Amino acid sequence: MQGFYRLLSLCLCIGPFLCPCALTAQGQFVLSGEIRERGFYSHGYEKVLGPRERGVFWVGQRTRLGFEYENKDIGFFVQLEDGRVWGEAEGGRSYGFGIAQAWFHARFAQRFEIKLGRMPLVYENGRYMAYSGWDECGNPHDALKLRYQSLDGNTQAELSGSVSNNSESRILNPYGTDNYYKYLLVAYASRTFAPDFRWSLLSVTDFQEKHFEAFTDSSQSATETKVDPSRIFARSALGTYLDICPRRKVSALVYAYGQFGKDSYGRNVLAGMASAIVTCKVHPLFEIKAAYEYVSGNKHPEEDLPVNATDHAFDRFMGSSHSFLGIMDLFNCSGRDDLTLGAGYHQPYLTFTCFPAKDHTLSLNARYFWTADTPEPGLSNDLGLEMALTYKYKIRPDLTLDFGYAIHSRTRTLETLSGIEPGESKFPHFGYVMIAYKPIIFNSANHPKKDR
């Protein structure tokens, strides 16, 4: 809770000074906040439980405080963030107190914009690059972005770049931060040809320092991963999206990615994924969504893929870590780190959504998983079925309540990949309840400016 009190104290200290200044400023000043409380009951979330393991309940809290200023064609945004588990004294791997966003932007010639600082990089549906709202803390990027948008709004293009270091060292040293990159280059273009058809293209190249295994003792019985900052490997992903009839009763979204280059160990990468989603609004109060997704993988994957081998396991990089593969997140890790060890998967799913009343949404989702390649000799490809029920109630514009519950069927393959003897796992199920309050604390546009 220390981070929460830091944010609250900061708001109380600087609020009295910022508000009078905002009233006399030429531009618009907005002070916003967020407090999200989410209770989890995990009895198989992200991991199937063994016979001696028990489920657990915990509460996660996210606190944010944002400062935004706009003056004609220039402005900035700073957002402080703290993510905690109730009772936690220090932030964990992806939690803690820090700056979630800190960027400024400037528009010129009506069509161009430059944005610089710590910011989210989100493209299309967030399948490959996202700023996950599910996680307590998102994954922002320290980057420079150049953006173009045509006057009619039908054409958009972006070019972003980033470089990562851990210090201001005057000599070359490893960056080595997990799940990030040394350099990043992103190009994006989108064109709406007609109200019923939009096409986009996304290119992402991440540059990683060389990783290698080194022995830690003279007996050569133990190894650790080390980083060589003098060697850089580049991996690229090229994705395309087709958005068809998005405003009609029957619409479709089709997208695919190809991934190639070298991973951080110098292995050749040749992988891909594809998805097709059809949505049918059969009634103003009811819609059906049917979809299918394929992600490539390796045949009989092993823990240590040889350096001279080609890796066919598609790495979802910094895409959303939730919902695309169900709400239990059993298969939501990237590349060869997921439960299938990089065997890939097929996933057909069906979603029924109803809107029983204004601001109420109820959804029932069924997903079936099987591996694209055999994960281990003698195992079937069956990864089981997930059934999930979710409910969302928008109590007021700045206050929402969410609930979700999911179950997953047990299969011999799922248990074996989880390190559990077949038939000995506990029934996987998971539930959460979440309430989020996102108020606009102050907006200078709602207050008359003082005469000078």
Side-chain angles (χ1 to χ4, degrees), residues 1-9 61 63 81-84 88-89 96-98:
M1 298 295 287
Q2 293 179 358
F4 169 73
Y5 292 121
R6 288 180 189 149
L7 285 176
L8 181 61
S9 300
Q61 175 175 290
T63 311
E81 178 180 66
D82 181 75
R84 303 272 159 172
E88 182 183 19
F97 177 77

Side-chain angles (χ1 to χ4, degrees), residues 385-402:
L385 171 72
E386 177 187 294
M387 297 287 293
L389 179 69
T390 59
Y391 165 75
K392 184 173 183 179
Y393 173 35
K394 192 173 183 180
I395 303 172
R396 44 183 280 176
D398 56 4
L399 183 65
T400 57
L401 175 68
D402 287 79

Side-chain angles (χ1 to χ4, degrees), residues 242-285:
L242 296 176
D243 199 0
I244 305 168
C245 303
R247 299 178 181 86
R248 296 186 178 244
K249 290 185 177 181
V250 179
S251 60
L253 176 64
V254 181
Y255 60 93
Y257 283 90
Q259 198 171 56
F260 52 91
K262 291 183 178 292
D263 66 10
S264 59
Y265 287 88
R267 292 183 289 245
N268 291 320
V269 174
L270 186 60
M273 65 88 64
S275 180
I277 306 168
V278 177
T279 303
C280 181
K281 299 176 182 178
V282 296
H283 188 273
L285 300 179

Side-chain angles (χ1 to χ4, degrees), residues 58-87:
W58 78 92
V59 178
Q61 175 175 290
R62 180 170 73 194
T63 311
R64 286 174 174 172
L65 184 64
F67 307 88
E68 182 177 3
Y69 177 74
E70 289 283 339
N71 188 353
K72 295 182 180 179
D73 292 329
I74 193 168
F76 75 90
F77 179 70
V78 176
Q79 185 182 63
L80 306 180
E81 178 180 66
D82 181 75
R84 303 272 159 172
V85 172
W86 278 15

Side-chain angles (χ1 to χ4, degrees), residues 427-444:
F427 177 59
H429 62 112
F430 154 70
Y432 71 90
V433 60
M434 176 173 67
I435 187 166
Y437 179 45
K438 301 179 181 181
I440 300 298
I441 303 170
F442 178 83
N443 188 339
S444 64

